Amino acid sequence: MTCKKNIATLFFVSLSGFFFGQEISDTLKTSSVEEVIVTATRTERNVATLPLPTQIITGESIRKSGVSRLNEIIQEQTGLITVPDFGGGEGIQMQGLDAAYVMILLDGQPMFGRSAGTLDLSRISVNNIERIEIVKGASSCLYGSEALAGVINIITKKPQISDKLKGNVNYKIAGFNTHDASANLEYGKNKIGGELFANFFSSGGYSLSSDEFLNTVEPYRNVTFQPKIKINFNEKVNLSASTRFFMQNQDYKARIESQEMTGESLIKEWNHALLINQQATEKLKIVYDLYATHYQADEYLNQNSGQLFEESRFDQWFFRPEIRSHYRLGKNTLSAGVGMNYESLDRTYFADKAVLNSEYIFGQFEWFLKEKWNILAGFRYDHHHQYESQLSPKLGINYKWNENLSLKASVGYGYKAPDLRQLYFNFTNSAVGYTVLGYNVASEKLALLQNQGQIASVENVDFSSALKPESSVNFNFGGYFKKEKFSFDYNLFYNRITNLIDTKVIASKKSGQNVFSYLNLDEIFTYGAELNSSYRFNRNFTVSAGYQYLIAKDQEMTDRIKNGEIFARNPSTLETFQLRPSDYFGLLNRSKHTANLKLNYTIQPLGTTINARLFYRSKYGIRDSNNSQILDRYDVFVKGYFTANLTINQEFKYGISAQAGALNLFNYKDAANIPNLAGRQFFGRIQYQF
C-alpha cells in the first residue's frame, strides 16, 4: 500500500494496406519518407531518418487483409514468426529471439499476462488499429525489461474533436464457426472528443486429430470494450484518457488416466492510461503519464462426477507513473524521463504474493548534423529492488547518401529481468513427482524437502547471490534505396544473450524424480539478414517480396562440439558417435529461411482489389530425439512448407464495403508439430462506414 501511495504522490506532485499506403501501396510499409513513427524514439520521427530498423503496418492495410486478430497480421511480416505456447496462444519470434524477449505495447503502454513468458497476441482485435509500429533490435534504453529483441507497438484510433458523429460497424463470419463483430463510434464538441470501440469474437475452435473429445484449440469467446476521451484545455495543455476491458471464456478439457474431464478457463484484463501533454514553452514539451493494468486468469477442471480435480489462478497488477520531457534545440531534440514500476503477482504455486519494485531514468539526444547525418544516443538506468540494477545504452547513426539512398547502423544493450515465476515458483507435479522451485525460494524449500526425508542427493549450487537479469548486445547495419517505382531495404543483425535463465536439476528425490530451479546458465547468439523489396508496375498493380536468413545457436554447445564432447546415438544400432560442427543445426523452432511474396491488383472501374500473399518457412527442429543434448541434423524436423492467404475487397456506394477470402488457402496442416496452424478457413465480411 505504501508503494502505491508513493506512485500516486510522485505523479501528482510533478503536475505543479497491405500495399495500400502509397496510392495503392504496400502491405507492409518500410522506410517510406511520408511515414512518422513514435515507438523508436518516443518522439515523432520520419521513418527515413531513423538509424534503427523499423517497419509500419497501416490500419488501412490491416483492414484490406481481412484478418481479425493481431497474431494473424503479425505473422505475415518479414522476419516475424508466431509460435504456439502451451495453452494454444501465439507469441512472436523476432531476429531469432523468443517471444519472452519481445515487448508488446498497446498505445505505448506495456501489456501483461505472460503466464510462461509468452503474451498471447490473439487477445487483441485489429478492428480499431490505426497502425502497428515495429522496432527491431534491443530497445531497453527506452522501454526497460523484455525489449531485448525489439518492440511492437499497437496504436489504436484516437478521439477526433468534431461535432459530427462518425464510425463504422462490421461483421465477419468464417470457418470453424467464427464470428467477429465490431463497432467504432467517435464524436466531439468544442474542446472534448470521445471514441468508443466494442468487439465480440467467438470461435468454435478446431481439431487436427480424430479425437472426438479433445480439440487442438477448444471453443472460446471474448469481448473487448475500449472507451477514450480527449480534452483540449487550451492550445498548450490537453488530456487523454483511455480504458480497455477484455474478457474471454474458453472450454477446458483434459484426459487424465483415461478419465475425461471438463472445465473452463476465464481471462479478465483491464488497462487504463491517463496522459497530460503540456507545451510548457515554445521549445519544451512535458508529458505526465499514469498507467495501470490488471490481468487475471482462472481455470478449473472437474472430474466426470462433477467433483473438482484441480484449479489455478493468475492475478497480476502493474502500476507505473512516468514523467518525460522533450526539449527542442533547433532541429535537435533532447529527451529525458523518470518513472516507477510496481508489479505484483498472486499465483497458484506461489507461497505468497510476489512483488517487484523499481525506479528508472532515461535520456536521449537526437542530433541532426548538417543534412546528411543523424545521430541517436540514449541510455536508461533501472534501479531494481529484487535483482541487479541495469544500465542500458544505445547508439544509432543514419547517413543520407542522396535522395534515393540512406545507410544506418545501431548498437544497443538490452536486458530481461527474471520474471516472478523464475523467482518464486513452488510447484510439484502430483502425478509424476518432480518439483520446480523459483530461485529466491529454492534454498528454503529444498531444506524443507530434506527435513521431510524426500531428497537423495543435492547438487553443488550456490543461491547466495541474486539471480542475474538476462542481457544482450545487439548490432544492426542496413540501408534503404528507393527510385521511381522500385524500393529496396536490407538489415544485417547480430544478437548475443548472456546469463540466459534456464532450468537445471538441483537435487534428486528418493522417488527417482528431480528438483529443478532457474539458474543463469547459457549464452546464445543469433545473426542473419532481412531483405524487403517492392515494385509498382502501375497505379493498379504492386508486387513486394521479403526474405530472412537466420542462424541461432547456443555458444556453450558450439564450443563443446568443437572440443569433441557431444555425442549422439544411432537409433538403429544404438551406437554412439561424435558430432561434428556441421551437424549442429541450432536452437529449436528456428528456420534458416523464411520468405513472402505479396501481390496487390486493383480493378478501378469495379472498385475491386485482389490481395494475394504467399509465405514460405524452411525446415526447423522440434526436439532432440537421439540424446545428443542439442538439435543436430539427425533429430526430428518439421519439413519446409508454403501457406497462402487471399482476400478480395469490394467497395460499394454509401460507405458499404465487403470482403471475401481464405486463410491457409493450400490447407496445409501438421497436427503433430504445428498446432497453431488450422486448416483452410474461408471468410466473408460486410462493413458500413458513416
Side-chain angles (χ1 to χ4, degrees):
M1 183 62 69
T2 301
C3 185
K4 295 179 182 179
K5 290 181 179 178
N6 290 339
I7 291 172
T9 301
L10 172 63
F11 180 75
F12 288 109
V13 168
S14 301
L15 275 178
S16 51
F18 299 112
F19 299 95
F20 286 82
Q22 301 166 14
E23 293 175 73
I24 301 163
S25 193
D26 304 0
T27 302
L28 173 63
K29 291 185 162 189
T30 306
S31 303
S32 172
V33 293
E34 292 84 8
E35 292 168 329
V36 172
I37 190 169
V38 297
T39 307
T41 63
R42 304 188 100 175
T43 60
E44 290 191 354
R45 279 290 301 271
N46 195 306
V47 171
T49 66
L50 273 172
L52 309 174
T54 57
Q55 296 174 314
I56 293 178
I57 311 172
T58 67
E60 179 67 8
S61 65
I62 295 172
R63 187 180 70 84
K64 294 291 187 181
S65 72
V67 301
S68 296
R69 316 306 288 182
L70 181 62
N71 59 302
E72 295 174 313
I73 190 67
I74 288 295
Q75 66 188 2
E76 294 196 355
Q77 315 311 321
T78 303
L80 302 181
I81 298 173
T82 57
V83 291
D85 64 11
F86 298 110
E90 290 182 80
I92 183 69
Q93 185 188 108
M94 184 184 294
Q95 290 193 348
L97 300 180
D98 278 336
Y101 305 119
V102 180
M103 174 165 281
I104 308 296
L105 305 175
L106 184 65
D107 292 321
Q109 310 289 7
M111 296 196 69
F112 284 79
R114 297 174 182 257
S115 59
T118 298
L119 194 146
D120 183 12
L121 302 180
S122 65
R123 278 160 46 188
I124 304 172
S125 169
V126 302
N127 290 329
N128 71 326
I129 292 180
E130 182 178 291
R131 68 184 186 276
I132 300 172
E133 298 181 351
I134 302 168
V135 181
K136 297 182 178 180
S139 299
S140 290
C141 77
L142 286 180
Y143 296 101
S145 178
E146 296 176 6
L148 280 81
V151 175
I152 297 177
N153 190 7
I154 303 105
I155 300 175
T156 59
K157 295 178 180 178
K158 297 178 175 59
Q160 301 297 317
I161 299 179
S162 170
D163 58 0
K164 185 178 180 181
L165 180 65
K166 299 179 181 179
N168 68 77
V169 292
N170 72 81
Y171 171 71
K172 173 184 175 181
I173 185 170
F176 310 121
N177 195 24
T178 300
H179 302 270
D180 182 19
S182 291
N184 198 84
L185 303 173
E186 59 181 65
Y187 179 75
K189 193 170 184 179
N190 298 328
K191 297 181 179 181
I192 301 177
E195 196 246 358
L196 176 63
F197 170 73
N199 173 256
F200 170 79
F201 184 86
S202 69
S203 170
Y206 59 87
S207 178
L208 298 176
S209 70
S210 58
D211 194 317
E212 296 183 357
F213 177 70
L214 294 176
N215 293 314
T216 305
V217 172
E218 299 294 344
Y220 64 95
R221 61 229 57 92
N222 59 55
V223 294
T224 303
F225 184 70
Q226 188 172 3
K228 293 184 178 182
I229 188 171
K230 181 177 181 180
I231 304 175
N232 289 337
F233 294 104
N234 51 52
E235 293 182 355
K236 295 186 177 181
V237 180
N238 67 71
L239 177 147
S240 298
S242 65
T243 297
R244 175 179 174 269
F245 298 99
F246 173 83
M247 185 171 70
Q248 175 172 291
N249 296 76
Q250 184 170 23
D251 296 349
Y252 180 29
K253 294 181 179 180
R255 184 181 287 112
I256 301 176
E257 296 181 352
S258 74
Q259 184 177 170
E260 295 178 346
M261 302 185 184
T262 60
E264 183 182 36
S265 176
L266 174 64
I267 295 174
K268 295 181 180 179
E269 183 181 11
W270 170 81
N271 317 98
H272 180 73
L274 176 67
L275 285 89
I276 297 177
N277 294 278
Q278 178 186 11
Q279 193 68 45
T281 68
E282 184 179 346
K283 296 182 178 181
L284 177 62
K285 179 182 178 181
I286 303 175
V287 180
Y288 307 90
D289 185 345
L290 180 62
Y291 177 65
T293 184
H294 180 213
Y295 178 88
Q296 183 178 357
D298 299 289
E299 63 183 23
Y300 69 88
L301 193 63
N302 288 338
Q303 299 177 5
N304 50 26
S305 63
Q307 184 177 358
L308 179 67
F309 176 76
E310 66 176 12
E311 61 181 345
S312 65
R313 71 182 187 280
F314 186 100
D315 194 343
Q316 186 174 27
W317 282 91
F318 177 79
F319 300 92
R320 189 204 63 194
E322 181 180 282
I323 305 163
R324 52 187 182 269
S325 62
H326 308 284
Y327 187 76
R328 301 281 297 179
L329 298 167
K331 293 183 178 180
N332 309 316
T333 303
L334 177 64
S335 301
V338 59
M340 298 173 58
N341 292 324
Y342 174 85
E343 178 186 353
S344 67
L345 177 60
D346 188 8
R347 182 181 182 182
T348 304
Y349 312 123
F350 280 22
D352 301 296
K353 179 189 291 186
V355 175
L356 293 181
N357 298 324
S358 65
E359 300 84 28
Y360 61 89
I361 61 172
F362 63 87
Q364 178 180 263
F365 186 54
E366 302 170 68
W367 183 23
F368 289 86
L369 182 60
K370 297 183 178 180
E371 295 183 358
K372 293 183 177 293
W373 291 92
N374 170 227
I375 300 175
L376 177 67
F379 79 96
R380 174 172 167 137
Y381 179 75
D382 289 82
H383 174 249
H384 298 287
H385 295 202
Q386 284 77 18
Y387 43 86
E388 290 185 351
S389 298
Q390 295 292 307
L391 176 66
S392 308
K394 188 160 191 172
L395 177 66
I397 300 174
N398 186 85
Y399 178 71
K400 185 178 179 181
W401 193 281
N402 53 45
E403 292 299 323
N404 300 320
L405 177 64
S406 65
L407 303 175
K408 60 182 67 179
S410 64
V411 56
Y413 175 89
Y415 82 96
K416 181 183 180 299
D419 62 39
L420 292 167
R421 168 180 54 96
Q422 294 166 336
L423 294 175
Y424 299 105
F425 210 40
N426 180 15
F427 170 75
T428 297
N429 186 292
S430 56
V432 180
Y434 67 86
T435 296
V436 183
L437 301 174
Y439 184 88
N440 286 8
V441 300
S443 293
E444 177 188 351
K445 302 302 180 183
L446 184 58
L448 181 61
L449 292 174
Q450 287 179 298
N451 291 335
Q452 294 173 348
Q454 297 188 41
I455 301 300
S457 62
V458 177
E459 300 293 324
N460 184 22
V461 179
D462 182 12
F463 290 96
S464 60
S465 59
L467 188 64
K468 297 179 181 179
E470 299 172 88
S471 60
S472 73
V473 177
N474 165 254
F475 297 91
N476 287 279
F477 176 78
Y480 175 72
F481 175 79
K482 181 178 181 180
K483 190 172 184 180
E484 297 176 350
K485 299 179 179 181
F486 177 74
S487 67
F488 174 78
D489 70 84
Y490 68 93
N491 183 59
L492 310 178
F493 61 86
Y494 176 85
N495 296 279
R496 179 171 288 272
I497 297 182
T498 57
N499 294 322
L500 187 72
I501 299 174
D502 204 350
T503 55
K504 183 180 179 180
V505 175
I506 62 171
S508 298
K509 292 185 176 183
K510 293 180 179 179
S511 63
Q513 296 299 321
N514 292 321
V515 180
F516 300 86
S517 188
Y518 299 93
L519 301 171
N520 295 115
L521 295 176
D522 301 323
E523 182 177 65
I524 66 171
F525 62 89
T526 75
Y527 63 86
E530 290 183 11
L531 311 174
N532 284 286
S533 64
S534 177
Y535 187 80
R536 187 175 62 177
F537 291 89
N538 53 52
R539 63 191 303 264
N540 297 323
F541 185 36
T542 305
V543 176
S544 70
Y547 168 76
Q548 177 183 261
Y549 174 75
L550 173 68
I551 296 294
K553 294 185 176 182
D554 184 319
Q555 184 64 59
E556 179 185 358
M557 292 302 174
T558 300
D559 295 338
R560 291 183 62 188
I561 292 174
K562 291 181 180 179
N563 295 333
E565 301 175 9
I566 302 295
F567 294 82
R569 177 179 295 177
N570 188 314
S572 300
T573 64
L574 299 182
E575 295 179 351
T576 59
F577 59 95
Q578 183 177 316
L579 292 175
R580 299 168 298 177
S582 59
D583 294 329
Y584 184 24
F585 190 83
L587 301 180
L588 296 173
N589 205 14
R590 270 75 169 181
S591 296
K592 286 186 178 180
H593 311 282
T594 55
N596 61 72
L597 178 65
K598 305 174 183 179
L599 300 95
N600 192 82
Y601 183 72
T602 299
I603 307 173
Q604 291 283 359
L606 301 179
T608 304
T609 301
I610 301 172
N611 193 290
R613 294 99 67 195
L614 179 67
F615 309 98
Y616 171 72
R617 183 177 182 184
S618 68
K619 74 173 186 176
Y620 59 93
I622 54 173
R623 63 179 177 272
D624 171 25
S625 60
N626 57 12
N627 299 318
S628 66
Q629 304 178 48
I630 66 169
L631 179 66
D632 58 68
R633 63 190 182 95
Y634 305 102
D635 283 319
V636 177
F637 286 83
V638 176
K639 296 180 179 179
Y641 61 91
F642 287 91
T643 60
N645 297 335
L646 175 67
T647 307
I648 300 174
N649 297 273
Q650 180 65 54
E651 300 290 337
F652 299 101
K653 295 181 179 179
Y654 312 114
I656 299 174
S657 61
Q659 287 180 330
L663 303 179
N664 193 8
L665 187 64
F666 299 154
N667 197 33
Y668 179 81
K669 291 182 287 187
D670 186 339
N673 304 312
I674 317 177
N676 61 321
L677 184 60
R680 183 188 299 114
Q681 183 184 42
F682 294 103
F683 67 87
R685 185 195 299 268
I686 186 76
Q687 176 169 289
Y688 173 57
Q689 185 95 22
F690 59 91

